[in-house]
Amino acid sequence: MRVKEILRAATQAWSPAMKHPAYLALGTAAQQLDASFNTSAALEIFEMDFADSSMDMKLRGTLPTSSRFHSLIWVAFDMEVKGSSGRLIGGSESGTVSVFSPDAILSAGEDAVIGQSNKHTGPVHTLDYNRFQSNIIASGASDSEIYIWDLNNFSNPMTPGAKSQPAEDVSVVAWNSQVQHILASANPSGKAIVWDLRKNEPIIKISDHSNRMHCSGMLWHPDVATQLLLASEDDRLPVIQMWDLRFATSPLKVLESHTRGILSISWSQADPELLLSSGKDNRILCWNPNTGEVIYELPTANQWCFDVQWCPRNPALLSAALFDGRISVYSVMGGRLQQQQHSTISTSFDTSDPFGSGQALPPLQVLQPSVETTIIPPLKKPPKWERRPVGASFAFGGKLVMFESPKVAPQQQPIPRQVHVSQVTTETEFLQRSAELQATLQSGSFSSYCHGKIRSAPSDAEQDIWRFLMVNFEDEARVKFLRLLGFSKDELQRKVSHHNTNHYIRGERGKLTDTDGLINQALLVGNFEAAVDLCLNDGRFAEAILLSISGGEELLKKTQQHYLHRQTNSLISSVVTQNWRDIVQSCELDNWKEALAALLTYANPEAFAPLCDTLGARLQAEGTEKHCLQACLCFICSGNIERLVECWTSQRDCSSPLELEDLVEKVMILRKSIERLRSGEVCVQSSALTEKLIQYSSILASQGSLTSALRYLPDSPDQVHTLIHIYIVTVKLTGEQLMIFNVCMCCEFESLILLLPENYTPPAPITAPVMAFSAEAPGPQDRVQVPPGAPQEPSIRVRGHDVRAHQKSLCFHHHNSVCHVEQKEIPAEHMILKTTFSSLVQRCQLAAADPQTKRKLDDASKRLESLYDKLRDQALSPSILGGLHEISRCVGSRNYQQGLELHTQVVSSSNFSEISAFMPVLKMLMTIGNKLAV
C-alpha cells in the first residue's frame, strides 16, 4: 500500500539504516521536466513522519544546485561522529561529482557542498559505495569512464584499469557485497565487466549472446559473492538474468514476467528473497529470485517507474520514482489504497493562449478525477525480518516446544531446522505421590500403602483416617472399627471380671461409679453375658431380665416396656427396641464414638450406612475442623465417597496439587475397599468428586502423565470434551497429524484408553536429554496438496487399525455400542448464513459443467459444516460474525467482488486458527460464483 507521496521529478536516495528518523533525499532529475516546465535544480531532504496520517512528506531542508542529477547516493561516512548524518554524493548531467553535508542542508547552514570534482568529461550516470569502507565511492560516466573516489582525499580519484573498448556509456557500477576489492560495471549494450582493484584490471567479462541485452541495472547478490543480476531495458528481451561467475557461459536463471523493458531493480539487503523491478509495462514487481516467482505486485498508476529503492532503515518500505513527476513510498505489508486518477499536465496550462491574441482557448476535455479504493494483500510469505530466529511455546501436557534457525553460510547447504519438545515438570512431589497411588491401585497392596500413610501422617486426625481406611481391607472390619473407637471385647472382659471380684470380696451393695460404664461397654461390644452379670451383681434385676430375655414372650415385652418408661439409659432402650435412629439423631455429639460403636455392633447391614451418614451429617453441620474430621470417619465406615469428598473439601483447600493429592488418595483407597466388599466396580455420581478428578487429571496432564490422567477422568458424558482434548494431544505426541474435528463417542471410559498407541510412552522430563525431530516437509508421497488453511484428513495408526479423522465427525465404537449426540440448532439470527451459503453452493452446482469444479463444490458443501457447527456452539467472536453477515449480504445480491474484499478484511483482522476451517471455502465459492455468474 502507498503510505507517502510527493510531487517531484527527482532522483532519490534513502538515508543509511542507522539514521533515525528515516529521510529521503531528492535531487532534481536530469532530462526530465515537470508539468510547469521548471528548469531549476535543487537537492531536498524529506522526513518520513509516520505519526502523521496524511500522505505528505515533510520537507526538512533544501539546497539549490547548478545542475540536475542522474544519480544520488547517501553513505554512512563519518556517522560514528556524534551528530553526523553521513554524506550525500550526487552525479550531475554536467559531469560533476559533488559531496554534500546532509546536516548543513537540514539546518539551512552554509558550506553544504563539501567537495566537488569535474574529472568526468560527460554526464555521471551511476554511483555506488563500498559496503566495507563507506569512504570509497565508484562513479561511472560516458566514454567508459570509471573513477574510484576516497572521501578523505576527494581531489585525486583512481581508475580500476584501462578503459574498455569500444568506448561507451557506463550505465551502472556496483560494489560486491562480500568481497571489498571487487567492483562490477555494465554498459547499455549488455556487457558487464568485473574488476579486481588489487590488480587494477578486469578479471571476467559477461555478455548476452543474443545481443538484445540492453543493461539498465546490475546488482550483486547480498549473500553469495559470485552471483549478480543483470536487467534488460530492451522490449524484445524484458528479463532479469542471474549470473554465477563460476559458470559464466550462460545465465544461471532468467526471471520473465515483465512484458516490456526493465528500467530499475533493487535487492533487499534485509531479505535476499525480495527483489524489486520496475518496467515500461507500468508494473512494479517483487520477486523471489531463488524460485523466480513473483510474490508481490505494487498497485501503480499508468506511468513508468524509472527508479525503485528499498528503505535501509525500515525494510518493509520502498520508494518509487515515476516519470509523471511523482515520488511514492509503499509498504509491502498490505493495507488499503485510495488512488485518485487525474492529469497534472492538463491543469498546468492557462485557459488563454499566451502566444496569440489573448483569446480564451476552448476548454480541455479532461476526465473528472475519480477515487478508487483497493485492498492490497501483504506478501505471501513473511519476510526475513519478520521471522523469529528462535521461539518457545508451552503446550498441553506440560510440553515445551522450542525451535531455532541456525545461521548458515551463504554457500553452504541449508541445515534442517530442529524442533525440540521437552517435558516440563514443576510438581515433583505431586507426581511422585500420584505414581505411588497408581502403583498401589494396580498392584492391590492397599494395606501396605495405608501403613505407610499412617507412619508419615502429620497429625493424629490424619492417622485416624488412614487407620479407618486400612480396616476396610481386613476381616471383621466392624470389630476392628470398635477397637479404633476404644472399645475392646477382651479389655472389657478383664474389667468386668475385676469389677465382680472386687464387689464379691468387699460385699458391698452400693452402686460403683464405673458400673454403668462397664454395662454400656459390654452392650456395645455385644457381650450380653457380661452385661447381665454386672446387672445382677449390682442388684439391677430389671435390666438383667430385659437383657437376658429380650425379644421373648409378649408378657415379658410388656414388662420390658413398663420398665423402659422408667429407664433413663437410652442406650439400653435402643438395644432392646432396635431403634438406632433416635440414638444418632439425639445423642450428644461429644459421645459420637459411643453412637458409632453402637451402630457397628447392632445395626443391620441395610440400615448401617444411612445411620452412619446421619451421624456424620450432624457432625459435619457443626462446621468445625474437628467435627468434620470425625464426620469423615463416619462416612468412611458407611463407604459414602460423595459425602467424604464434600466434608473433606469443606475444610481443606484442594486447589493446590498436594492437597488435591491427599483427597484423591483417600477417595481411591476407599473406592477400592468398597469394590472389594461388593466384588464389583463402584460408580460414584458426585459432581464434587467429578470436578476434583477433572482438576486432578488436568494437573497430571500438565505434568506430562497423560496415561495416568486418562485413568482418573470420570466417565460422565458431560466430560466428553475433556477426554477428546487429552486424546488429541496424546496422538499429537506420537508424531501423527490430527485436525480439529467434532467427535461423537461412547460413554465407556475404556473406549478412549484403547485408542492409545501400544508403543506410547510419556516423554522424559525436561531434566532428561531433549527429544528432537526434524521439521522438514514430508515427501510428495506422504502428503496430499490442499488449499492453505484447509482442514487435514490424516490417517492415524492405532493398535493395527486406521482411524481416519473425517471432516465432519468421528464416532468411537466400543463393545459394539455407538453413541448418538443430538445436534444443536443454529441460532435463528444466524440461519441466514446457512441459507445463503447453501443456496450459493446449489446454484454453482447447477451451473458447473466440468467435473473438477463439481468435485470442489461437493467438498465445499461438506467443509461448510465446520462453520455451521461453530454457529451452533456460538464459538465465533462478534467481529467474525459481523463480517460473515456482510459477506452473506454481498452473496445474496450477487456482488461477489465486494464479498471477496470483505473476506480479505475478515481474514486479516481475525485469529486464523478460529476461521481457517471455513474461510478458504467461502473464498472459493465466491470465486466460482463470480466466474459462473450465478
Side-chain angles (χ1 to χ4, degrees):
M1 61 172 289
R2 183 164 56 234
V3 293
K4 294 292 179 183
E5 186 177 69
I6 191 170
L7 298 179
R8 291 289 190 279
T11 301
Q12 56 183 346
W14 284 98
S15 58
M18 61 186 73
K19 179 66 177 175
H20 178 74
Y23 290 93
L24 185 64
L26 302 180
T28 307
Q31 298 181 349
Q32 291 189 43
L33 287 175
D34 59 17
S36 63
F37 294 95
N38 185 9
T39 58
S40 62
L43 182 61
E44 299 173 298
I45 299 179
F46 291 85
E47 179 186 346
M48 296 292 103
D49 184 7
F50 296 107
D52 181 7
S53 60
S54 68
M55 299 289 289
D56 298 330
M57 291 187 277
K58 295 183 178 180
L59 179 62
R60 295 303 189 192
T62 182
L63 176 70
T65 59
S66 58
S67 301
R68 296 191 170 201
F69 298 91
H70 276 293
S71 56
L72 186 67
I73 60 173
W74 194 333
V75 299
F77 175 72
D78 248 2
M79 287 192 71
E80 303 83 26
V81 180
K82 186 176 181 180
S84 173
S85 297
R87 296 289 186 270
L88 274 168
I89 297 94
S92 69
E93 58 187 352
S94 64
T96 303
V97 177
S98 304
V99 181
F100 304 94
S101 169
D103 293 316
I105 299 174
L106 291 170
S107 61
E110 299 179 355
D111 301 326
V113 180
I114 298 176
Q116 208 166 46
S117 175
N118 295 316
K119 190 74 174 178
H120 284 292
T121 59
V124 181
H125 298 290
T126 177
L127 293 167
D128 195 22
Y129 66 94
N130 192 291
R131 302 301 184 273
F132 301 89
Q133 294 176 276
S134 59
N135 61 306
I136 304 299
I137 308 298
S139 62
S142 57
D143 198 23
S144 297
E145 288 182 346
I146 300 175
Y147 286 116
I148 310 298
W149 308 81
D150 186 351
L151 296 182
N152 293 316
N153 185 15
F154 192 69
S155 59
N156 295 314
M158 59 171 287
T159 61
K163 290 184 178 181
S164 60
Q165 297 298 327
E168 57 181 324
D169 291 346
V170 178
S171 58
V172 60
V173 293
W175 289 98
N176 191 285
S177 300
Q178 302 295 319
V179 184
Q180 64 179 2
H181 58 269
I182 297 298
L183 175 72
S185 63
N187 304 314
S189 63
K191 180 174 63 176
I193 303 174
V194 180
W195 306 83
D196 187 343
L197 299 188
R198 294 179 305 179
K199 302 177 181 179
N200 274 36
E201 62 181 21
I203 56 174
I204 193 171
K205 296 181 180 180
I206 300 174
S207 61
D208 182 71
H209 300 297
S210 67
N211 294 323
R212 292 184 297 171
M213 184 74 179
H214 292 186
C215 186
S216 59
M218 178 179 62
L219 294 171
W220 287 99
H221 195 293
D223 294 332
V224 183
T226 59
Q227 292 183 3
L228 55 80
L229 294 176
L230 293 176
S232 172
E233 190 179 3
D234 196 325
D235 289 345
R236 299 172 299 169
L237 191 69
V239 299
I240 301 174
Q241 297 177 344
M242 178 181 284
W243 292 79
D244 195 310
L245 302 184
R246 295 168 295 183
F247 318 100
T249 55
S250 61
L252 184 67
K253 189 176 298 181
V254 179
L255 310 181
E256 302 175 286
S257 278
H258 282 287
T259 57
R260 296 189 63 188
I262 297 168
L263 298 174
S264 175
I265 56 176
S266 179
W267 210 330
S268 173
Q269 299 301 305
D271 188 349
E273 294 185 354
L274 298 178
L275 173 70
L276 286 173
S277 66
S278 63
K280 290 184 283 185
D281 55 1
N282 302 329
R283 301 175 71 193
I284 299 178
L285 304 180
C286 185
W287 309 74
N288 182 345
N290 295 332
T291 63
E293 175 191 7
V294 176
I295 58 176
Y296 193 75
E297 181 169 358
L298 283 166
T300 59
N302 294 325
Q303 288 291 335
W304 295 358
C305 172
F306 66 88
D307 185 24
V308 289
Q309 291 188 25
W310 289 103
C311 174
R313 176 75 186 179
N314 188 333
L317 297 181
L318 61 99
S319 58
L322 305 178
F323 276 121
D324 68 346
R326 191 186 310 272
I327 304 290
S328 298
V329 178
Y330 296 91
S331 170
V332 294
M333 304 310 288
R336 288 176 173 268
L337 174 65
Q338 289 188 347
Q339 186 169 348
Q340 185 172 356
Q341 303 289 346
H342 62 279
S343 173
T344 58
I345 296 178
S346 62
T347 58
S348 64
F349 290 98
D350 196 355
T351 57
S352 62
D353 182 3
F355 304 107
S357 60
Q359 298 294 324
L361 293 174
L364 292 172
Q365 299 297 322
V366 181
L367 295 175
Q368 293 297 321
S370 62
V371 177
E372 297 180 359
T373 301
T374 307
I375 297 178
I376 309 300
L379 289 169
K380 297 179 181 178
K381 178 182 178 182
K384 186 177 180 180
W385 62 85
E386 292 285 349
R387 302 173 201 163
R388 291 186 291 178
V390 295
S393 177
F394 280 99
F396 182 82
K399 297 296 181 295
L400 177 62
V401 183
M402 300 175 289
F403 71 89
E404 59 182 5
S405 300
K407 292 184 177 180
V408 182
Q411 317 213 351
Q412 290 182 353
Q413 291 293 329
I415 301 175
R417 299 176 65 184
Q418 299 290 317
V419 177
H420 304 279
V421 181
S422 341
Q423 178 65 53
V424 178
T425 301
T426 57
E427 299 289 345
T428 307
E429 183 181 354
F430 171 82
L431 285 179
Q432 179 182 355
R433 289 177 57 181
S434 178
E436 292 174 358
L437 174 61
Q438 187 60 35
T440 301
L441 295 176
Q442 292 178 352
S443 65
S445 55
F446 304 114
S447 296
S448 300
Y449 183 79
C450 293
H451 271 298
K453 287 295 180 182
I454 293 171
R455 288 194 298 269
S456 61
S459 63
D460 293 340
E462 187 79 6
Q463 286 183 349
D464 289 340
I465 287 177
W466 283 109
R467 288 191 181 100
F468 269 69
L469 287 170
M470 185 176 65
V471 165
N472 279 313
F473 297 98
E474 300 177 357
D475 297 332
E476 298 183 353
R478 291 174 68 160
V479 174
K480 294 179 179 178
F481 277 136
L482 285 171
R483 290 180 183 173
L484 291 176
L485 292 171
F487 300 100
S488 171
K489 286 186 177 182
D490 296 336
E491 181 65 20
L492 176 63
Q493 187 62 46
R494 186 189 63 79
K495 290 181 179 180
V496 169
S497 301
H498 179 70
H499 176 274
N500 289 339
T501 302
N502 288 341
H503 181 75
Y504 177 76
I505 294 174
R506 296 166 61 183
E508 297 178 356
R509 296 289 299 169
K511 182 179 179 181
L512 300 180
T513 57
D514 60 343
T515 301
D516 282 335
L518 291 175
I519 293 174
N520 287 339
Q521 291 187 40
L523 293 175
L524 288 174
V525 298
N527 194 340
F528 281 92
E529 183 180 354
V532 170
D533 196 17
L534 285 170
C535 290
L536 292 174
N537 287 333
D538 199 38
R540 300 163 74 166
F541 303 106
E543 291 95 323
I545 296 172
L546 290 171
L547 291 176
S548 61
I549 60 174
S550 78
E553 298 178 357
E554 183 178 355
L555 181 61
L556 186 57
K557 289 182 179 179
K558 291 181 180 180
T559 306
Q560 292 173 351
Q561 291 175 359
H562 180 76
Y563 175 78
L564 291 175
H565 275 295
R566 299 168 53 195
Q567 181 57 253
T568 59
N569 192 323
S570 60
L571 180 59
I572 296 176
S573 175
S574 296
V575 169
V576 175
T577 63
Q578 296 292 305
N579 184 9
W580 298 109
R581 183 163 298 279
D582 289 341
I583 287 288
V584 297
Q585 290 180 344
S586 60
C587 70
E588 294 291 335
L589 290 181
D590 289 341
N591 299 325
W592 70 274
K593 285 188 178 182
E594 288 78 1
L596 181 58
L599 296 178
L600 290 166
T601 303
Y602 296 107
N604 59 55
E606 292 77 12
F608 174 72
L611 291 172
C612 287
D613 289 342
T614 301
L615 180 60
R618 288 188 61 199
L619 290 167
Q620 183 182 355
E622 292 296 307
T624 65
E625 182 178 4
K626 176 182 176 182
H627 284 95
C628 284
L629 292 175
Q630 294 167 353
C632 287
L633 298 181
C634 295
F635 297 139
I636 290 174
C637 291
S638 68
N640 194 329
I641 298 177
E642 180 178 3
R643 296 300 299 272
L644 173 64
V645 173
E646 293 177 359
C647 186
W648 183 266
T649 55
S650 67
Q651 295 296 322
R652 300 293 177 92
D653 179 15
C654 294
S655 58
S656 68
L658 293 181
E659 289 287 348
L660 188 59
E661 176 68 28
D662 283 338
L663 173 62
V664 173
E665 289 171 352
K666 296 172 177 61
V667 168
M668 298 311 294
I669 294 299
L670 179 57
R671 183 174 181 174
K672 285 296 180 182
S673 68
I674 299 172
E675 290 177 353
R676 172 177 174 269
L677 292 175
R678 299 182 184 177
S679 301
E681 294 187 357
V682 175
C683 181
V684 182
Q685 299 296 332
S686 168
S687 58
L689 178 59
T690 298
E691 178 186 352
K692 295 306 177 184
L693 288 179
I694 292 175
Q695 182 182 352
Y696 185 73
S697 300
S698 299
I699 298 176
L700 282 174
S702 69
Q703 300 297 309
S705 297
L706 293 173
T707 304
S708 296
L710 290 172
R711 297 185 184 279
Y712 288 102
L713 275 175
D715 53 5
S716 169
D718 296 335
Q719 311 308 325
V720 166
H721 294 296
T722 305
L723 293 168
I724 296 167
H725 187 41
I726 294 184
Y727 169 68
I728 290 174
V729 174
T730 305
V731 175
K732 279 186 177 178
L733 295 177
T734 64
E736 301 287 347
Q737 298 177 345
L738 192 63
M739 62 174 267
I740 303 298
F741 55 91
N742 299 323
V743 179
C744 166
M745 66 176 293
C746 298
C747 294
E748 284 91 347
F749 171 69
E750 294 81 359
S751 61
L752 184 58
I753 298 296
L754 292 174
L755 290 173
L756 287 175
E758 289 180 330
N759 58 351
Y760 171 74
T761 54
I766 197 170
T767 52
V770 174
M771 168 181 70
F773 60 88
S774 176
E776 292 179 312
Q781 69 278 10
D782 296 329
R783 64 181 181 182
V784 177
Q785 295 293 334
V786 295
Q792 308 294 316
E793 284 195 313
S795 180
I796 306 164
R797 193 76 177 174
V798 179
R799 296 205 176 180
H801 300 284
D802 287 329
V803 180
R804 178 160 299 278
H806 294 286
Q807 291 174 345
K808 182 177 180 183
S809 65
L810 177 68
C811 189
F812 294 90
H813 299 267
H814 180 56
H815 297 307
N816 297 323
S817 62
V818 180
C819 170
H820 299 280
V821 177
E822 185 177 356
Q823 198 174 50
K824 298 179 182 177
E825 291 292 335
I826 296 177
E829 63 269 23
H830 302 316
M831 275 299 296
I832 186 64
L833 298 179
K834 182 176 181 180
T835 304
T836 303
F837 297 146
S838 299
S839 175
L840 175 59
V841 173
Q842 293 174 1
R843 295 199 304 270
C844 292
Q845 287 174 334
L846 293 174
D850 60 297
Q852 183 178 5
T853 303
K854 290 185 176 181
R855 285 194 298 271
K856 287 183 179 180
L857 292 170
D858 291 337
D859 181 62
S861 179
K862 297 176 182 177
R863 288 167 58 189
L864 278 176
E865 288 297 326
S866 61
L867 168 60
Y868 304 149
D869 288 340
K870 286 184 178 291
L871 293 174
R872 293 184 182 99
D873 296 333
Q874 300 185 13
L876 296 176
S877 64
S879 60
I880 295 177
L881 287 172
L884 289 173
H885 280 280
E886 290 292 333
I887 294 173
S888 173
R889 281 190 280 272
C890 292
V891 171
S893 61
R894 309 297 198 270
N895 191 349
Y896 299 112
Q897 193 61 40
Q898 184 179 358
L900 289 170
E901 293 176 2
L902 290 168
H903 180 280
T904 303
Q905 295 179 30
V906 174
V907 171
S908 61
S909 62
S910 304
N911 185 346
F912 186 72
S913 63
E914 190 177 0
I915 61 176
S916 61
F918 57 87
M919 287 305 281
V921 185
L922 293 180
K923 182 176 181 180
M924 179 186 68
L925 282 175
M926 288 189 287
T927 303
I928 295 176
N930 190 33
K931 180 179 179 182
L932 298 177
V934 296

